[in-house]
Amino acid sequence: MSAEPVPAHPTERRRPFDPPQELMEWQVGEPLRGMRYPDGHVGWVVTSHELARAMLTDPRFSARSEFKRAPVHRPGTEPFFGVPAAPGWLVDMDPPEHTRLRQQLAGQFTARRMRELRPRLARIVDELLSAMERGGPGADLVEAFALPLASQVICELLGVPSDDRAEFQRNSRILFNLSSTAADTSAALDRLYATLRDITAGGQEPGQTPGLLQALAKDGTLDTEEIAGVGVLLLTAGHDSTTGSLALSVFALLSHPDELARLTADPSLVDNAVEELLRYLTVFHFGVPRTPLEDLEYAGRQLKAGDSITVSLSAANRDPRWFQDEADRLDLTRRTTGHVAFGYGIHQCLGQNLVRMEMRTALPALFQRFPTLALAVPAQDVPLSTDMSVYGVHRLPVVW
């Protein structure tokens, strides 16, 4: 009798806000189980909350790009996986290089620093909503609000000129599109590095407030290539993760009118609501890769050095053993402590406080300005970005 075939990473969603059903079934029976990668390698997938947090804090598991394999077919990763990380690309590094780079950046993304940015953020939100109102009574919320908000905020934070924002958006889409070729992603990354290298070397424009890139250049601890790489990483992640999280959150709230009514009736609920939306939606829907640096036994399995492991953040965030009370249901009053929407451990998303602040500012302002906001198309006609490595919607047509 032949052995049961090892499954590939599931990608089909039965409902727009839920992970693939197979991930949840594996979580019940085999929270660490074998999975076949697109290149034929048989590795592993982690689906439980407990194992996800344990592995992401265990130094025996590496984040280095030399060992990484994409869990789904993604030709665009070919130039970047299996080789050392590009300069400044700290998500693909282990300590001490990761530690050295992260220490240079951590102070720029503290909760206190984000609170300092809130007045400027509120003005940007107000300007975008006013433009929507003038062009109404309908809009694509991605194009009119979520994307320009994410783009303007991260560009101002980094000190990137406004004229370059459209080009950054185009290149970000190429990098995160699952169907992009290796040549496409290499060219996009080269363009981004070249632009940010020039910005770093040239300093800020007259009258421009110095941004993070200029501050790093003035400090002199990192070289130009590292600063450019850090800039590319923060810029692309800032565009896509914030846009995806914000637009998908609005879609989810419009699809759960009772929860939306809770939020609009009690604005003090917004902080907890944002955490629940981040948990429930988990835009990093293909998880994060890790690789054991040595042979070891883990959760009853024999892992080999060099094995590929995908830690499924979306499955871990639906684990009823941690979140209880119908973990697959959106509940804005839920206790969300411990969610892993931004990862966990030393590689936890550096910009998480920025994403939170943008959502906490944008969501109440949006629904206060447009209390009758509704989908302009049936929910099933909203185009989901299942073809991107960061989940969200390509468009969100709304009316008010």
Side-chain angles (χ1 to χ4, degrees), residues 290-326:
R290 289 293 183 267
T291 307
L293 295 171
E294 59 189 67
D295 294 353
L296 54 93
E297 182 179 345
Y298 204 83
R301 301 291 192 178
Q302 295 296 324
L303 309 182
K304 299 289 186 182
D307 278 353
S308 294
I309 304 173
T310 295
V311 180
S312 177
L313 304 180
S314 56
N317 273 340
R318 297 295 187 92
D319 192 336
R321 287 163 293 194
W322 183 267
F323 295 104
Q324 305 173 4
D325 299 330
E326 300 178 88

PDB file of all heavy atoms in Angstrom, residues 290-326:
ATOM      1  N   ARG A 290      11.117  29.487   8.027  1.00  0.00           N
ATOM      2  CA  ARG A 290      12.210  29.225   8.949  1.00  0.00           C
ATOM      3  C   ARG A 290      12.886  27.912   8.545  1.00  0.00           C
ATOM      4  O   ARG A 290      12.278  27.060   7.889  1.00  0.00           O
ATOM      5  CB  ARG A 290      11.717  29.126  10.395  1.00  0.00           C
ATOM      6  CG  ARG A 290      11.269  30.444  10.996  1.00  0.00           C
ATOM      7  CD  ARG A 290      12.418  31.422  11.171  1.00  0.00           C
ATOM      8  NE  ARG A 290      12.003  32.674  11.809  1.00  0.00           N
ATOM      9  CZ  ARG A 290      11.626  33.751  11.136  1.00  0.00           C
ATOM     10  NH1 ARG A 290      11.588  33.734   9.812  1.00  0.00           N
ATOM     11  NH2 ARG A 290      11.276  34.846  11.782  1.00  0.00           N
ATOM     12  N   THR A 291      14.145  27.760   8.960  1.00  0.00           N
ATOM     13  CA  THR A 291      14.928  26.578   8.615  1.00  0.00           C
ATOM     14  C   THR A 291      15.751  26.139   9.814  1.00  0.00           C
ATOM     15  O   THR A 291      16.486  26.963  10.387  1.00  0.00           O
ATOM     16  CB  THR A 291      15.887  26.882   7.442  1.00  0.00           C
ATOM     17  OG1 THR A 291      15.144  27.431   6.355  1.00  0.00           O
ATOM     18  CG2 THR A 291      16.597  25.623   6.981  1.00  0.00           C
ATOM     19  N   PRO A 292      15.642  24.866  10.237  1.00  0.00           N
ATOM     20  CA  PRO A 292      16.488  24.402  11.342  1.00  0.00           C
ATOM     21  C   PRO A 292      17.955  24.389  10.937  1.00  0.00           C
ATOM     22  O   PRO A 292      18.310  23.973   9.833  1.00  0.00           O
ATOM     23  CB  PRO A 292      15.962  22.995  11.634  1.00  0.00           C
ATOM     24  CG  PRO A 292      15.225  22.583  10.409  1.00  0.00           C
ATOM     25  CD  PRO A 292      14.734  23.819   9.751  1.00  0.00           C
ATOM     26  N   LEU A 293      18.799  24.855  11.842  1.00  0.00           N
ATOM     27  CA  LEU A 293      20.242  24.887  11.590  1.00  0.00           C
ATOM     28  C   LEU A 293      20.927  23.581  11.986  1.00  0.00           C
ATOM     29  O   LEU A 293      22.120  23.409  11.746  1.00  0.00           O
ATOM     30  CB  LEU A 293      20.868  26.053  12.365  1.00  0.00           C
ATOM     31  CG  LEU A 293      20.411  27.449  11.921  1.00  0.00           C
ATOM     32  CD1 LEU A 293      20.921  28.504  12.900  1.00  0.00           C
ATOM     33  CD2 LEU A 293      20.904  27.748  10.503  1.00  0.00           C
ATOM     34  N   GLU A 294      20.171  22.684  12.606  1.00  0.00           N
ATOM     35  CA  GLU A 294      20.716  21.394  13.040  1.00  0.00           C
ATOM     36  C   GLU A 294      19.603  20.360  13.031  1.00  0.00           C
ATOM     37  O   GLU A 294      18.413  20.713  13.018  1.00  0.00           O
ATOM     38  CB  GLU A 294      21.278  21.524  14.463  1.00  0.00           C
ATOM     39  CG  GLU A 294      20.213  21.966  15.470  1.00  0.00           C
ATOM     40  CD  GLU A 294      20.767  22.307  16.839  1.00  0.00           C
ATOM     41  OE1 GLU A 294      21.501  23.318  16.939  1.00  0.00           O
ATOM     42  OE2 GLU A 294      20.482  21.553  17.800  1.00  0.00           O
ATOM     43  N   ASP A 295      19.966  19.095  13.007  1.00  0.00           N
ATOM     44  CA  ASP A 295      18.965  18.040  13.171  1.00  0.00           C
ATOM     45  C   ASP A 295      18.406  18.113  14.585  1.00  0.00           C
ATOM     46  O   ASP A 295      19.163  18.280  15.556  1.00  0.00           O
ATOM     47  CB  ASP A 295      19.601  16.660  12.956  1.00  0.00           C
ATOM     48  CG  ASP A 295      20.085  16.440  11.531  1.00  0.00           C
ATOM     49  OD1 ASP A 295      19.813  17.304  10.663  1.00  0.00           O
ATOM     50  OD2 ASP A 295      20.728  15.406  11.277  1.00  0.00           O
ATOM     51  N   LEU A 296      17.099  18.003  14.718  1.00  0.00           N
ATOM     52  CA  LEU A 296      16.505  18.053  16.049  1.00  0.00           C
ATOM     53  C   LEU A 296      15.117  17.427  16.045  1.00  0.00           C
ATOM     54  O   LEU A 296      14.474  17.291  15.001  1.00  0.00           O
ATOM     55  CB  LEU A 296      16.442  19.494  16.556  1.00  0.00           C
ATOM     56  CG  LEU A 296      15.747  20.547  15.671  1.00  0.00           C
ATOM     57  CD1 LEU A 296      14.284  20.683  16.048  1.00  0.00           C
ATOM     58  CD2 LEU A 296      16.446  21.894  15.811  1.00  0.00           C
ATOM     59  N   GLU A 297      14.669  17.059  17.242  1.00  0.00           N
ATOM     60  CA  GLU A 297      13.300  16.602  17.416  1.00  0.00           C
ATOM     61  C   GLU A 297      12.469  17.766  17.903  1.00  0.00           C
ATOM     62  O   GLU A 297      12.860  18.489  18.826  1.00  0.00           O
ATOM     63  CB  GLU A 297      13.231  15.455  18.432  1.00  0.00           C
ATOM     64  CG  GLU A 297      11.817  14.911  18.608  1.00  0.00           C
ATOM     65  CD  GLU A 297      11.736  13.761  19.607  1.00  0.00           C
ATOM     66  OE1 GLU A 297      12.801  13.202  19.944  1.00  0.00           O
ATOM     67  OE2 GLU A 297      10.616  13.449  20.039  1.00  0.00           O
ATOM     68  N   TYR A 298      11.323  17.962  17.262  1.00  0.00           N
ATOM     69  CA  TYR A 298      10.493  19.121  17.590  1.00  0.00           C
ATOM     70  C   TYR A 298       9.034  18.714  17.479  1.00  0.00           C
ATOM     71  O   TYR A 298       8.586  18.232  16.428  1.00  0.00           O
ATOM     72  CB  TYR A 298      10.796  20.271  16.621  1.00  0.00           C
ATOM     73  CG  TYR A 298      10.476  21.643  17.164  1.00  0.00           C
ATOM     74  CD1 TYR A 298      11.380  22.310  17.993  1.00  0.00           C
ATOM     75  CD2 TYR A 298       9.278  22.267  16.856  1.00  0.00           C
ATOM     76  CE1 TYR A 298      11.097  23.561  18.497  1.00  0.00           C
ATOM     77  CE2 TYR A 298       8.984  23.531  17.351  1.00  0.00           C
ATOM     78  CZ  TYR A 298       9.903  24.169  18.181  1.00  0.00           C
ATOM     79  OH  TYR A 298       9.619  25.418  18.679  1.00  0.00           O
ATOM     80  N   ALA A 299       8.311  18.885  18.564  1.00  0.00           N
ATOM     81  CA  ALA A 299       6.882  18.550  18.600  1.00  0.00           C
ATOM     82  C   ALA A 299       6.627  17.138  18.083  1.00  0.00           C
ATOM     83  O   ALA A 299       5.665  16.892  17.352  1.00  0.00           O
ATOM     84  CB  ALA A 299       6.077  19.564  17.784  1.00  0.00           C
ATOM     85  N   GLY A 300       7.525  16.232  18.449  1.00  0.00           N
ATOM     86  CA  GLY A 300       7.353  14.846  18.067  1.00  0.00           C
ATOM     87  C   GLY A 300       7.789  14.511  16.658  1.00  0.00           C
ATOM     88  O   GLY A 300       7.591  13.375  16.197  1.00  0.00           O
ATOM     89  N   ARG A 301       8.390  15.462  15.946  1.00  0.00           N
ATOM     90  CA  ARG A 301       8.848  15.237  14.572  1.00  0.00           C
ATOM     91  C   ARG A 301      10.370  15.315  14.513  1.00  0.00           C
ATOM     92  O   ARG A 301      10.999  16.072  15.265  1.00  0.00           O
ATOM     93  CB  ARG A 301       8.264  16.291  13.629  1.00  0.00           C
ATOM     94  CG  ARG A 301       6.738  16.329  13.597  1.00  0.00           C
ATOM     95  CD  ARG A 301       6.158  15.101  12.953  1.00  0.00           C
ATOM     96  NE  ARG A 301       4.737  15.247  12.675  1.00  0.00           N
ATOM     97  CZ  ARG A 301       4.007  14.320  12.087  1.00  0.00           C
ATOM     98  NH1 ARG A 301       4.562  13.169  11.724  1.00  0.00           N
ATOM     99  NH2 ARG A 301       2.727  14.518  11.875  1.00  0.00           N
ATOM    100  N   GLN A 302      10.943  14.562  13.598  1.00  0.00           N
ATOM    101  CA  GLN A 302      12.385  14.607  13.375  1.00  0.00           C
ATOM    102  C   GLN A 302      12.673  15.585  12.241  1.00  0.00           C
ATOM    103  O   GLN A 302      12.354  15.321  11.079  1.00  0.00           O
ATOM    104  CB  GLN A 302      12.917  13.205  13.035  1.00  0.00           C
ATOM    105  CG  GLN A 302      12.781  12.196  14.160  1.00  0.00           C
ATOM    106  CD  GLN A 302      13.609  12.579  15.378  1.00  0.00           C
ATOM    107  OE1 GLN A 302      14.715  13.125  15.263  1.00  0.00           O
ATOM    108  NE2 GLN A 302      13.071  12.293  16.566  1.00  0.00           N
ATOM    109  N   LEU A 303      13.234  16.727  12.585  1.00  0.00           N
ATOM    110  CA  LEU A 303      13.561  17.746  11.594  1.00  0.00           C
ATOM    111  C   LEU A 303      15.035  17.664  11.240  1.00  0.00           C
ATOM    112  O   LEU A 303      15.875  17.427  12.108  1.00  0.00           O
ATOM    113  CB  LEU A 303      13.231  19.141  12.138  1.00  0.00           C
ATOM    114  CG  LEU A 303      11.832  19.362  12.721  1.00  0.00           C
ATOM    115  CD1 LEU A 303      11.661  20.811  13.154  1.00  0.00           C
ATOM    116  CD2 LEU A 303      10.757  18.967  11.725  1.00  0.00           C
ATOM    117  N   LYS A 304      15.333  17.885   9.965  1.00  0.00           N
ATOM    118  CA  LYS A 304      16.706  17.846   9.490  1.00  0.00           C
ATOM    119  C   LYS A 304      17.220  19.264   9.238  1.00  0.00           C
ATOM    120  O   LYS A 304      16.458  20.148   8.818  1.00  0.00           O
ATOM    121  CB  LYS A 304      16.794  17.042   8.184  1.00  0.00           C
ATOM    122  CG  LYS A 304      16.365  15.585   8.311  1.00  0.00           C
ATOM    123  CD  LYS A 304      17.380  14.792   9.100  1.00  0.00           C
ATOM    124  CE  LYS A 304      17.041  13.304   9.099  1.00  0.00           C
ATOM    125  NZ  LYS A 304      18.000  12.518   9.917  1.00  0.00           N
ATOM    126  N   ALA A 305      18.483  19.482   9.469  1.00  0.00           N
ATOM    127  CA  ALA A 305      19.095  20.772   9.132  1.00  0.00           C
ATOM    128  C   ALA A 305      18.845  21.062   7.653  1.00  0.00           C
ATOM    129  O   ALA A 305      19.061  20.209   6.801  1.00  0.00           O
ATOM    130  CB  ALA A 305      20.591  20.740   9.422  1.00  0.00           C
ATOM    131  N   GLY A 306      18.369  22.256   7.361  1.00  0.00           N
ATOM    132  CA  GLY A 306      18.094  22.634   5.985  1.00  0.00           C
ATOM    133  C   GLY A 306      16.671  22.403   5.529  1.00  0.00           C
ATOM    134  O   GLY A 306      16.297  22.821   4.422  1.00  0.00           O
ATOM    135  N   ASP A 307      15.851  21.739   6.348  1.00  0.00           N
ATOM    136  CA  ASP A 307      14.442  21.554   5.997  1.00  0.00           C
ATOM    137  C   ASP A 307      13.743  22.912   5.897  1.00  0.00           C
ATOM    138  O   ASP A 307      14.027  23.829   6.671  1.00  0.00           O
ATOM    139  CB  ASP A 307      13.713  20.723   7.058  1.00  0.00           C
ATOM    140  CG  ASP A 307      13.903  19.232   6.898  1.00  0.00           C
ATOM    141  OD1 ASP A 307      14.501  18.813   5.876  1.00  0.00           O
ATOM    142  OD2 ASP A 307      13.465  18.485   7.793  1.00  0.00           O
ATOM    143  N   SER A 308      12.808  23.012   4.979  1.00  0.00           N
ATOM    144  CA  SER A 308      11.995  24.226   4.869  1.00  0.00           C
ATOM    145  C   SER A 308      10.783  24.104   5.782  1.00  0.00           C
ATOM    146  O   SER A 308      10.119  23.068   5.803  1.00  0.00           O
ATOM    147  CB  SER A 308      11.526  24.421   3.423  1.00  0.00           C
ATOM    148  OG  SER A 308      12.619  24.672   2.573  1.00  0.00           O
ATOM    149  N   ILE A 309      10.505  25.173   6.528  1.00  0.00           N
ATOM    150  CA  ILE A 309       9.341  25.226   7.404  1.00  0.00           C
ATOM    151  C   ILE A 309       8.600  26.530   7.136  1.00  0.00           C
ATOM    152  O   ILE A 309       9.212  27.597   7.092  1.00  0.00           O
ATOM    153  CB  ILE A 309       9.737  25.152   8.888  1.00  0.00           C
ATOM    154  CG1 ILE A 309      10.565  23.889   9.167  1.00  0.00           C
ATOM    155  CG2 ILE A 309       8.493  25.195   9.774  1.00  0.00           C
ATOM    156  CD1 ILE A 309      11.121  23.836  10.579  1.00  0.00           C
ATOM    157  N   THR A 310       7.296  26.432   6.948  1.00  0.00           N
ATOM    158  CA  THR A 310       6.457  27.622   6.827  1.00  0.00           C
ATOM    159  C   THR A 310       5.616  27.749   8.093  1.00  0.00           C
ATOM    160  O   THR A 310       4.863  26.836   8.432  1.00  0.00           O
ATOM    161  CB  THR A 310       5.535  27.527   5.595  1.00  0.00           C
ATOM    162  OG1 THR A 310       6.334  27.529   4.410  1.00  0.00           O
ATOM    163  CG2 THR A 310       4.562  28.699   5.549  1.00  0.00           C
ATOM    164  N   VAL A 311       5.763  28.863   8.785  1.00  0.00           N
ATOM    165  CA  VAL A 311       4.957  29.134   9.975  1.00  0.00           C
ATOM    166  C   VAL A 311       3.727  29.910   9.516  1.00  0.00           C
ATOM    167  O   VAL A 311       3.833  31.070   9.099  1.00  0.00           O
ATOM    168  CB  VAL A 311       5.749  29.939  11.017  1.00  0.00           C
ATOM    169  CG1 VAL A 311       4.898  30.204  12.252  1.00  0.00           C
ATOM    170  CG2 VAL A 311       7.030  29.200  11.404  1.00  0.00           C
ATOM    171  N   SER A 312       2.575  29.257   9.547  1.00  0.00           N
ATOM    172  CA  SER A 312       1.338  29.863   9.046  1.00  0.00           C
ATOM    173  C   SER A 312       0.759  30.814  10.084  1.00  0.00           C
ATOM    174  O   SER A 312       0.146  30.394  11.066  1.00  0.00           O
ATOM    175  CB  SER A 312       0.318  28.782   8.688  1.00  0.00           C
ATOM    176  OG  SER A 312      -0.894  29.381   8.275  1.00  0.00           O
ATOM    177  N   LEU A 313       0.940  32.113   9.853  1.00  0.00           N
ATOM    178  CA  LEU A 313       0.427  33.115  10.784  1.00  0.00           C
ATOM    179  C   LEU A 313      -1.099  33.159  10.761  1.00  0.00           C
ATOM    180  O   LEU A 313      -1.742  33.347  11.798  1.00  0.00           O
ATOM    181  CB  LEU A 313       1.002  34.487  10.435  1.00  0.00           C
ATOM    182  CG  LEU A 313       2.528  34.598  10.384  1.00  0.00           C
ATOM    183  CD1 LEU A 313       2.939  36.022  10.012  1.00  0.00           C
ATOM    184  CD2 LEU A 313       3.154  34.199  11.714  1.00  0.00           C
ATOM    185  N   SER A 314      -1.685  33.004   9.585  1.00  0.00           N
ATOM    186  CA  SER A 314      -3.142  33.080   9.490  1.00  0.00           C
ATOM    187  C   SER A 314      -3.810  31.925  10.225  1.00  0.00           C
ATOM    188  O   SER A 314      -4.841  32.107  10.887  1.00  0.00           O
ATOM    189  CB  SER A 314      -3.581  33.113   8.023  1.00  0.00           C
ATOM    190  OG  SER A 314      -3.079  32.005   7.315  1.00  0.00           O
ATOM    191  N   ALA A 315      -3.215  30.719  10.152  1.00  0.00           N
ATOM    192  CA  ALA A 315      -3.775  29.590  10.896  1.00  0.00           C
ATOM    193  C   ALA A 315      -3.569  29.777  12.399  1.00  0.00           C
ATOM    194  O   ALA A 315      -4.489  29.549  13.198  1.00  0.00           O
ATOM    195  CB  ALA A 315      -3.141  28.286  10.435  1.00  0.00           C
ATOM    196  N   ALA A 316      -2.382  30.197  12.799  1.00  0.00           N
ATOM    197  CA  ALA A 316      -2.098  30.399  14.218  1.00  0.00           C
ATOM    198  C   ALA A 316      -3.043  31.419  14.833  1.00  0.00           C
ATOM    199  O   ALA A 316      -3.456  31.291  15.990  1.00  0.00           O
ATOM    200  CB  ALA A 316      -0.645  30.841  14.411  1.00  0.00           C
ATOM    201  N   ASN A 317      -3.417  32.429  14.055  1.00  0.00           N
ATOM    202  CA  ASN A 317      -4.314  33.468  14.556  1.00  0.00           C
ATOM    203  C   ASN A 317      -5.774  33.031  14.637  1.00  0.00           C
ATOM    204  O   ASN A 317      -6.617  33.788  15.123  1.00  0.00           O
ATOM    205  CB  ASN A 317      -4.203  34.727  13.694  1.00  0.00           C
ATOM    206  CG  ASN A 317      -3.095  35.639  14.160  1.00  0.00           C
ATOM    207  OD1 ASN A 317      -2.649  35.562  15.294  1.00  0.00           O
ATOM    208  ND2 ASN A 317      -2.638  36.518  13.281  1.00  0.00           N
ATOM    209  N   ARG A 318      -6.070  31.825  14.166  1.00  0.00           N
ATOM    210  CA  ARG A 318      -7.423  31.276  14.308  1.00  0.00           C
ATOM    211  C   ARG A 318      -7.438  30.077  15.256  1.00  0.00           C
ATOM    212  O   ARG A 318      -8.415  29.334  15.295  1.00  0.00           O
ATOM    213  CB  ARG A 318      -7.960  30.859  12.940  1.00  0.00           C
ATOM    214  CG  ARG A 318      -8.142  31.984  11.931  1.00  0.00           C
ATOM    215  CD  ARG A 318      -9.210  32.977  12.381  1.00  0.00           C
ATOM    216  NE  ARG A 318      -9.497  33.962  11.351  1.00  0.00           N
ATOM    217  CZ  ARG A 318     -10.453  33.843  10.436  1.00  0.00           C
ATOM    218  NH1 ARG A 318     -11.226  32.769  10.423  1.00  0.00           N
ATOM    219  NH2 ARG A 318     -10.657  34.789   9.548  1.00  0.00           N
ATOM    220  N   ASP A 319      -6.377  29.876  16.006  1.00  0.00           N
ATOM    221  CA  ASP A 319      -6.271  28.699  16.867  1.00  0.00           C
ATOM    222  C   ASP A 319      -7.210  28.848  18.069  1.00  0.00           C
ATOM    223  O   ASP A 319      -7.005  29.713  18.932  1.00  0.00           O
ATOM    224  CB  ASP A 319      -4.824  28.551  17.346  1.00  0.00           C
ATOM    225  CG  ASP A 319      -4.560  27.209  18.009  1.00  0.00           C
ATOM    226  OD1 ASP A 319      -5.524  26.590  18.509  1.00  0.00           O
ATOM    227  OD2 ASP A 319      -3.390  26.780  18.036  1.00  0.00           O
ATOM    228  N   PRO A 320      -8.243  27.990  18.176  1.00  0.00           N
ATOM    229  CA  PRO A 320      -9.190  28.120  19.293  1.00  0.00           C
ATOM    230  C   PRO A 320      -8.590  27.788  20.644  1.00  0.00           C
ATOM    231  O   PRO A 320      -9.144  28.157  21.680  1.00  0.00           O
ATOM    232  CB  PRO A 320     -10.296  27.129  18.915  1.00  0.00           C
ATOM    233  CG  PRO A 320      -9.634  26.126  18.033  1.00  0.00           C
ATOM    234  CD  PRO A 320      -8.591  26.885  17.265  1.00  0.00           C
ATOM    235  N   ARG A 321      -7.447  27.100  20.663  1.00  0.00           N
ATOM    236  CA  ARG A 321      -6.812  26.800  21.941  1.00  0.00           C
ATOM    237  C   ARG A 321      -6.240  28.057  22.584  1.00  0.00           C
ATOM    238  O   ARG A 321      -6.022  28.088  23.799  1.00  0.00           O
ATOM    239  CB  ARG A 321      -5.727  25.736  21.747  1.00  0.00           C
ATOM    240  CG  ARG A 321      -6.281  24.342  21.491  1.00  0.00           C
ATOM    241  CD  ARG A 321      -5.247  23.416  20.918  1.00  0.00           C
ATOM    242  NE  ARG A 321      -4.862  23.823  19.571  1.00  0.00           N
ATOM    243  CZ  ARG A 321      -4.180  23.056  18.721  1.00  0.00           C
ATOM    244  NH1 ARG A 321      -3.795  21.853  19.088  1.00  0.00           N
ATOM    245  NH2 ARG A 321      -3.882  23.485  17.513  1.00  0.00           N
ATOM    246  N   TRP A 322      -6.004  29.092  21.789  1.00  0.00           N
ATOM    247  CA  TRP A 322      -5.517  30.352  22.332  1.00  0.00           C
ATOM    248  C   TRP A 322      -6.616  31.417  22.362  1.00  0.00           C
ATOM    249  O   TRP A 322      -6.811  32.103  23.363  1.00  0.00           O
ATOM    250  CB  TRP A 322      -4.318  30.863  21.536  1.00  0.00           C
ATOM    251  CG  TRP A 322      -3.730  32.121  22.093  1.00  0.00           C
ATOM    252  CD1 TRP A 322      -4.037  33.405  21.738  1.00  0.00           C
ATOM    253  CD2 TRP A 322      -2.766  32.237  23.137  1.00  0.00           C
ATOM    254  NE1 TRP A 322      -3.322  34.304  22.476  1.00  0.00           N
ATOM    255  CE2 TRP A 322      -2.519  33.618  23.354  1.00  0.00           C
ATOM    256  CE3 TRP A 322      -2.069  31.310  23.915  1.00  0.00           C
ATOM    257  CZ2 TRP A 322      -1.618  34.084  24.304  1.00  0.00           C
ATOM    258  CZ3 TRP A 322      -1.166  31.786  24.866  1.00  0.00           C
ATOM    259  CH2 TRP A 322      -0.955  33.154  25.052  1.00  0.00           C
ATOM    260  N   PHE A 323      -7.330  31.565  21.257  1.00  0.00           N
ATOM    261  CA  PHE A 323      -8.280  32.678  21.143  1.00  0.00           C
ATOM    262  C   PHE A 323      -9.695  32.309  21.578  1.00  0.00           C
ATOM    263  O   PHE A 323     -10.513  33.200  21.798  1.00  0.00           O
ATOM    264  CB  PHE A 323      -8.275  33.230  19.709  1.00  0.00           C
ATOM    265  CG  PHE A 323      -6.954  33.855  19.350  1.00  0.00           C
ATOM    266  CD1 PHE A 323      -6.059  33.197  18.538  1.00  0.00           C
ATOM    267  CD2 PHE A 323      -6.593  35.082  19.877  1.00  0.00           C
ATOM    268  CE1 PHE A 323      -4.828  33.750  18.233  1.00  0.00           C
ATOM    269  CE2 PHE A 323      -5.363  35.647  19.578  1.00  0.00           C
ATOM    270  CZ  PHE A 323      -4.478  34.984  18.755  1.00  0.00           C
ATOM    271  N   GLN A 324     -10.006  31.017  21.663  1.00  0.00           N
ATOM    272  CA  GLN A 324     -11.263  30.537  22.240  1.00  0.00           C
ATOM    273  C   GLN A 324     -12.486  31.235  21.618  1.00  0.00           C
ATOM    274  O   GLN A 324     -12.392  31.908  20.599  1.00  0.00           O
ATOM    275  CB  GLN A 324     -11.238  30.712  23.770  1.00  0.00           C
ATOM    276  CG  GLN A 324     -10.048  30.040  24.427  1.00  0.00           C
ATOM    277  CD  GLN A 324      -9.930  30.356  25.904  1.00  0.00           C
ATOM    278  OE1 GLN A 324     -10.763  31.027  26.494  1.00  0.00           O
ATOM    279  NE2 GLN A 324      -8.875  29.850  26.528  1.00  0.00           N
ATOM    280  N   ASP A 325     -13.631  31.014  22.206  1.00  0.00           N
ATOM    281  CA  ASP A 325     -14.872  31.719  21.826  1.00  0.00           C
ATOM    282  C   ASP A 325     -15.006  31.935  20.319  1.00  0.00           C
ATOM    283  O   ASP A 325     -15.052  33.070  19.830  1.00  0.00           O
ATOM    284  CB  ASP A 325     -14.953  33.078  22.535  1.00  0.00           C
ATOM    285  CG  ASP A 325     -14.973  32.938  24.041  1.00  0.00           C
ATOM    286  OD1 ASP A 325     -15.487  31.913  24.524  1.00  0.00           O
ATOM    287  OD2 ASP A 325     -14.466  33.842  24.724  1.00  0.00           O
ATOM    288  N   GLU A 326     -15.048  30.847  19.570  1.00  0.00           N
ATOM    289  CA  GLU A 326     -15.232  30.938  18.113  1.00  0.00           C
ATOM    290  C   GLU A 326     -14.145  31.796  17.470  1.00  0.00           C
ATOM    291  O   GLU A 326     -14.388  32.912  17.012  1.00  0.00           O
ATOM    292  CB  GLU A 326     -16.616  31.493  17.791  1.00  0.00           C
ATOM    293  CG  GLU A 326     -17.767  30.649  18.314  1.00  0.00           C
ATOM    294  CD  GLU A 326     -19.111  31.269  17.999  1.00  0.00           C
ATOM    295  OE1 GLU A 326     -19.633  30.984  16.906  1.00  0.00           O
ATOM    296  OE2 GLU A 326     -19.600  32.039  18.845  1.00  0.00           O
TER     297      GLU A 326
END
